[in-house]
Amino acid sequence: MLRSLMVFCFPVLELYVLVKVGGLIGAFNTVLWVFASAALGVWALRAHGRGIMNRVNQELAQGRVPQEAMLHGLLLFIAGVLLILPGFISDAIGLLLLIPFVRTLTLHLLSRYF
């Protein structure tokens, strides 16, 4: 029940914030932001995806399980997808996940939760 409520509320909240911020900065700037953040998301997926795959291959070649590299890769993938989605809330979360310290802190918090 709570998950379905969250799945419904997040897009509604995104749309509300998009309209409110669009009213403040103008429609052109809002559309420009949406396209710029989508381009950044595509770049993040391509650039960081290669780097993560290289780290995973290096750790596998050394005989180690690439757990941390894969989890960082997952968070970078989520960041890229959030940046591609239109909306200021998802963009803010996506931008935060591009910061290595934030990813490390997120992984630490998730490991304590699970």
Side-chain angles (χ1 to χ4, degrees), residues 27-46:
F28 178 76
N29 290 332
T30 303
V31 171
L32 187 66
W33 175 268
V34 168
F35 282 113
S37 67
L40 178 63
V42 170
W43 171 82
L45 286 173
R46 292 183 73 210

Side-chain angles (χ1 to χ4, degrees), residues 1 4-5 12 15 20 22 29-30 36-37 53 63-64 68 75 79 90 108:
M1 176 73 176
S4 60
L5 184 63
V12 171
L15 186 59
K20 284 296 186 184
N29 290 332
T30 303
S37 67
M53 286 308 297
R64 295 186 307 210
E68 186 175 332
L75 288 180
S90 59
H108 176 71

Side-chain angles (χ1 to χ4, degrees), residues 43-54 73 76-77 98 103:
W43 171 82
L45 286 173
R46 292 183 73 210
H48 291 295
R50 287 188 207 124
I52 293 296
M53 286 308 297
N54 289 338
L76 284 169
F77 175 77
L98 289 179
R103 278 195 316 272

Side-chain angles (χ1 to χ4, degrees), residues 1 5 8 11 28 45-46 55 60 62 65 72-73 93 101:
M1 176 73 176
L5 184 63
F8 174 74
F28 178 76
L45 286 173
R46 292 183 73 210
R55 265 181 53 194
L60 285 173
Q62 295 172 355
V65 177
H72 275 274
I93 297 168
F101 170 75

